[in-house]
PDB file of all heavy atoms in Angstrom:
ATOM      1  N   LEU K 130     -70.599  60.983  63.709  1.00 98.00           N
ATOM      2  CA  LEU K 130     -70.504  60.862  65.136  1.00 98.00           C
ATOM      3  C   LEU K 130     -70.316  59.403  65.556  1.00 98.00           C
ATOM      4  O   LEU K 130     -69.412  59.095  66.399  1.00 98.00           O
ATOM      5  CB  LEU K 130     -71.718  61.451  65.811  1.00 98.00           C
ATOM      6  CG  LEU K 130     -71.975  62.931  65.590  1.00 98.00           C
ATOM      7  CD1 LEU K 130     -73.288  63.380  66.248  1.00 98.00           C
ATOM      8  CD2 LEU K 130     -70.827  63.769  66.162  1.00 98.00           C
ATOM      9  N   LEU K 131     -71.099  58.519  64.995  1.00 98.00           N
ATOM     10  CA  LEU K 131     -70.981  57.090  65.317  1.00 98.00           C
ATOM     11  C   LEU K 131     -69.668  56.485  64.851  1.00 98.00           C
ATOM     12  O   LEU K 131     -69.022  55.681  65.530  1.00 98.00           O
ATOM     13  CB  LEU K 131     -72.157  56.320  64.805  1.00 98.00           C
ATOM     14  CG  LEU K 131     -73.540  56.664  65.375  1.00 98.00           C
ATOM     15  CD1 LEU K 131     -74.607  55.847  64.710  1.00 98.00           C
ATOM     16  CD2 LEU K 131     -73.557  56.434  66.893  1.00 98.00           C
ATOM     17  N   GLY K 132     -69.273  56.919  63.616  1.00 98.00           N
ATOM     18  CA  GLY K 132     -68.009  56.393  63.080  1.00 98.00           C
ATOM     19  C   GLY K 132     -66.788  56.836  63.829  1.00 98.00           C
ATOM     20  O   GLY K 132     -65.896  56.065  64.119  1.00 98.00           O
ATOM     21  N   GLY K 133     -66.792  58.118  64.235  1.00 98.00           N
ATOM     22  CA  GLY K 133     -65.706  58.628  65.048  1.00 98.00           C
ATOM     23  C   GLY K 133     -65.590  57.895  66.360  1.00 98.00           C
ATOM     24  O   GLY K 133     -64.476  57.535  66.798  1.00 98.00           O
ATOM     25  N   LEU K 134     -66.716  57.680  67.002  1.00 98.00           N
ATOM     26  CA  LEU K 134     -66.740  56.926  68.267  1.00 98.00           C
ATOM     27  C   LEU K 134     -66.240  55.515  68.080  1.00 98.00           C
ATOM     28  O   LEU K 134     -65.426  55.023  68.887  1.00 98.00           O
ATOM     29  CB  LEU K 134     -68.167  56.920  68.855  1.00 98.00           C
ATOM     30  CG  LEU K 134     -68.368  56.053  70.090  1.00 98.00           C
ATOM     31  CD1 LEU K 134     -67.487  56.505  71.218  1.00 98.00           C
ATOM     32  CD2 LEU K 134     -69.829  56.055  70.491  1.00 98.00           C
ATOM     33  N   LEU K 135     -66.671  54.855  67.039  1.00 98.00           N
ATOM     34  CA  LEU K 135     -66.272  53.435  66.796  1.00 98.00           C
ATOM     35  C   LEU K 135     -64.779  53.338  66.625  1.00 98.00           C
ATOM     36  O   LEU K 135     -64.098  52.457  67.196  1.00 98.00           O
ATOM     37  CB  LEU K 135     -67.003  52.884  65.571  1.00 98.00           C
ATOM     38  CG  LEU K 135     -66.614  51.471  65.115  1.00 98.00           C
ATOM     39  CD1 LEU K 135     -66.970  50.491  66.208  1.00 98.00           C
ATOM     40  CD2 LEU K 135     -67.332  51.089  63.829  1.00 98.00           C
ATOM     41  N   ILE K 136     -64.184  54.226  65.809  1.00 97.00           N
ATOM     42  CA  ILE K 136     -62.769  54.171  65.553  1.00 97.00           C
ATOM     43  C   ILE K 136     -62.006  54.487  66.838  1.00 97.00           C
ATOM     44  O   ILE K 136     -60.977  53.795  67.148  1.00 97.00           O
ATOM     45  CB  ILE K 136     -62.369  55.187  64.464  1.00 97.00           C
ATOM     46  CG1 ILE K 136     -63.003  54.787  63.144  1.00 97.00           C
ATOM     47  CG2 ILE K 136     -60.856  55.242  64.302  1.00 97.00           C
ATOM     48  CD1 ILE K 136     -62.834  55.825  62.031  1.00 97.00           C
ATOM     49  N   TYR K 137     -62.490  55.418  67.602  1.00 97.00           N
ATOM     50  CA  TYR K 137     -61.834  55.749  68.912  1.00 97.00           C
ATOM     51  C   TYR K 137     -61.817  54.523  69.814  1.00 97.00           C
ATOM     52  O   TYR K 137     -60.790  54.182  70.407  1.00 97.00           O
ATOM     53  CB  TYR K 137     -62.587  56.904  69.556  1.00 97.00           C
ATOM     54  CG  TYR K 137     -62.194  57.156  71.010  1.00 97.00           C
ATOM     55  CD1 TYR K 137     -60.986  57.783  71.317  1.00 97.00           C
ATOM     56  CD2 TYR K 137     -63.054  56.828  72.036  1.00 97.00           C
ATOM     57  CE1 TYR K 137     -60.652  58.010  72.659  1.00 97.00           C
ATOM     58  CE2 TYR K 137     -62.753  57.081  73.361  1.00 97.00           C
ATOM     59  CZ  TYR K 137     -61.516  57.681  73.639  1.00 97.00           C
ATOM     60  OH  TYR K 137     -61.182  57.914  74.976  1.00 97.00           O
ATOM     61  N   GLU K 138     -62.964  53.852  69.929  1.00 96.00           N
ATOM     62  CA  GLU K 138     -63.049  52.698  70.789  1.00 96.00           C
ATOM     63  C   GLU K 138     -62.130  51.559  70.322  1.00 96.00           C
ATOM     64  O   GLU K 138     -61.444  50.914  71.140  1.00 96.00           O
ATOM     65  CB  GLU K 138     -64.494  52.194  70.880  1.00 96.00           C
ATOM     66  CG  GLU K 138     -65.376  53.017  71.824  1.00 96.00           C
ATOM     67  CD  GLU K 138     -64.904  52.957  73.246  1.00 96.00           C
ATOM     68  OE1 GLU K 138     -64.446  51.890  73.680  1.00 96.00           O
ATOM     69  OE2 GLU K 138     -65.001  53.966  73.949  1.00 96.00           O
ATOM     70  N   LEU K 139     -62.106  51.319  69.021  1.00 97.00           N
ATOM     71  CA  LEU K 139     -61.256  50.265  68.479  1.00 97.00           C
ATOM     72  C   LEU K 139     -59.775  50.554  68.761  1.00 97.00           C
ATOM     73  O   LEU K 139     -59.017  49.668  69.131  1.00 97.00           O
ATOM     74  CB  LEU K 139     -61.484  50.126  66.955  1.00 97.00           C
ATOM     75  CG  LEU K 139     -62.838  49.530  66.560  1.00 97.00           C
ATOM     76  CD1 LEU K 139     -62.995  49.534  65.041  1.00 97.00           C
ATOM     77  CD2 LEU K 139     -63.006  48.089  67.066  1.00 97.00           C
ATOM     78  N   LEU K 140     -59.412  51.839  68.596  1.00 96.00           N
ATOM     79  CA  LEU K 140     -58.006  52.188  68.823  1.00 96.00           C
ATOM     80  C   LEU K 140     -57.673  52.017  70.284  1.00 96.00           C
ATOM     81  O   LEU K 140     -56.606  51.450  70.639  1.00 96.00           O
ATOM     82  CB  LEU K 140     -57.792  53.654  68.420  1.00 96.00           C
ATOM     83  CG  LEU K 140     -57.732  53.946  66.905  1.00 96.00           C
ATOM     84  CD1 LEU K 140     -57.670  55.456  66.704  1.00 96.00           C
ATOM     85  CD2 LEU K 140     -56.491  53.296  66.298  1.00 96.00           C
ATOM     86  N   MET K 141     -58.489  52.499  71.186  1.00 94.00           N
ATOM     87  CA  MET K 141     -58.187  52.461  72.634  1.00 94.00           C
ATOM     88  C   MET K 141     -58.253  51.066  73.209  1.00 94.00           C
ATOM     89  O   MET K 141     -57.523  50.731  74.135  1.00 94.00           O
ATOM     90  CB  MET K 141     -59.163  53.379  73.410  1.00 94.00           C
ATOM     91  CG  MET K 141     -59.046  54.852  73.029  1.00 94.00           C
ATOM     92  SD  MET K 141     -57.379  55.507  73.249  1.00 94.00           S
ATOM     93  CE  MET K 141     -57.094  56.262  71.611  1.00 94.00           C
ATOM     94  N   ARG K 142     -59.122  50.216  72.638  1.00 92.00           N
ATOM     95  CA  ARG K 142     -59.297  48.883  73.200  1.00 92.00           C
ATOM     96  C   ARG K 142     -58.267  47.876  72.652  1.00 92.00           C
ATOM     97  O   ARG K 142     -57.813  46.952  73.360  1.00 92.00           O
ATOM     98  CB  ARG K 142     -60.690  48.340  72.929  1.00 92.00           C
ATOM     99  CG  ARG K 142     -61.784  49.071  73.737  1.00 92.00           C
ATOM    100  CD  ARG K 142     -63.155  48.579  73.336  1.00 92.00           C
ATOM    101  NE  ARG K 142     -64.224  49.310  73.989  1.00 92.00           N
ATOM    102  CZ  ARG K 142     -64.865  48.867  75.102  1.00 92.00           C
ATOM    103  NH1 ARG K 142     -64.518  47.715  75.640  1.00 92.00           N
ATOM    104  NH2 ARG K 142     -65.830  49.571  75.641  1.00 92.00           N
ATOM    105  N   TYR K 143     -57.955  48.012  71.324  1.00 93.00           N
ATOM    106  CA  TYR K 143     -57.205  46.931  70.678  1.00 93.00           C
ATOM    107  C   TYR K 143     -55.909  47.333  70.050  1.00 93.00           C
ATOM    108  O   TYR K 143     -55.114  46.438  69.683  1.00 93.00           O
ATOM    109  CB  TYR K 143     -58.086  46.277  69.606  1.00 93.00           C
ATOM    110  CG  TYR K 143     -59.411  45.780  70.131  1.00 93.00           C
ATOM    111  CD1 TYR K 143     -60.595  46.392  69.767  1.00 93.00           C
ATOM    112  CD2 TYR K 143     -59.471  44.712  71.039  1.00 93.00           C
ATOM    113  CE1 TYR K 143     -61.827  45.957  70.251  1.00 93.00           C
ATOM    114  CE2 TYR K 143     -60.703  44.262  71.524  1.00 93.00           C
ATOM    115  CZ  TYR K 143     -61.873  44.921  71.160  1.00 93.00           C
ATOM    116  OH  TYR K 143     -63.069  44.465  71.638  1.00 93.00           O
ATOM    117  N   VAL K 144     -55.646  48.594  69.864  1.00 94.00           N
ATOM    118  CA  VAL K 144     -54.455  49.039  69.068  1.00 94.00           C
ATOM    119  C   VAL K 144     -53.429  49.701  69.943  1.00 94.00           C
ATOM    120  O   VAL K 144     -52.258  49.271  69.958  1.00 94.00           O
ATOM    121  CB  VAL K 144     -54.866  49.961  67.907  1.00 94.00           C
ATOM    122  CG1 VAL K 144     -53.621  50.354  67.097  1.00 94.00           C
ATOM    123  CG2 VAL K 144     -55.898  49.252  67.014  1.00 94.00           C
ATOM    124  N   VAL K 145     -53.800  50.750  70.645  1.00 92.00           N
ATOM    125  CA  VAL K 145     -52.815  51.517  71.434  1.00 92.00           C
ATOM    126  C   VAL K 145     -53.063  51.326  72.917  1.00 92.00           C
ATOM    127  O   VAL K 145     -54.224  51.316  73.347  1.00 92.00           O
ATOM    128  CB  VAL K 145     -52.861  53.010  71.063  1.00 92.00           C
ATOM    129  CG1 VAL K 145     -52.333  53.223  69.662  1.00 92.00           C
ATOM    130  CG2 VAL K 145     -54.275  53.585  71.212  1.00 92.00           C
ATOM    131  N   HIS K 146     -51.973  51.176  73.679  1.00 86.00           N
ATOM    132  CA  HIS K 146     -52.180  50.826  75.113  1.00 86.00           C
ATOM    133  C   HIS K 146     -51.354  51.744  76.055  1.00 86.00           C
ATOM    134  O   HIS K 146     -51.641  51.814  77.239  1.00 86.00           O
ATOM    135  CB  HIS K 146     -51.773  49.364  75.363  1.00 86.00           C
ATOM    136  CG  HIS K 146     -52.580  48.405  74.495  1.00 86.00           C
ATOM    137  ND1 HIS K 146     -53.912  48.147  74.705  1.00 86.00           N
ATOM    138  CD2 HIS K 146     -52.226  47.661  73.413  1.00 86.00           C
ATOM    139  CE1 HIS K 146     -54.355  47.310  73.820  1.00 86.00           C
ATOM    140  NE2 HIS K 146     -53.319  46.975  73.024  1.00 86.00           N
ATOM    141  N   THR K 147     -50.320  52.383  75.539  1.00 86.00           N
ATOM    142  CA  THR K 147     -49.533  53.271  76.405  1.00 86.00           C
ATOM    143  C   THR K 147     -50.114  54.693  76.314  1.00 86.00           C
ATOM    144  O   THR K 147     -50.797  55.037  75.336  1.00 86.00           O
ATOM    145  CB  THR K 147     -48.068  53.304  75.953  1.00 86.00           C
ATOM    146  OG1 THR K 147     -47.951  53.904  74.668  1.00 86.00           O
ATOM    147  CG2 THR K 147     -47.460  51.888  75.917  1.00 86.00           C
TER     148      THR K 147
END
Side-chain angles (χ1 to χ4, degrees):
L130 298 177
L131 294 179
L134 172 61
L135 176 61
I136 296 173
Y137 169 74
E138 282 296 324
L139 291 175
L140 286 172
M141 297 303 128
R142 289 174 184 264
Y143 306 111
V144 180
V145 291
H146 304 289
T147 66

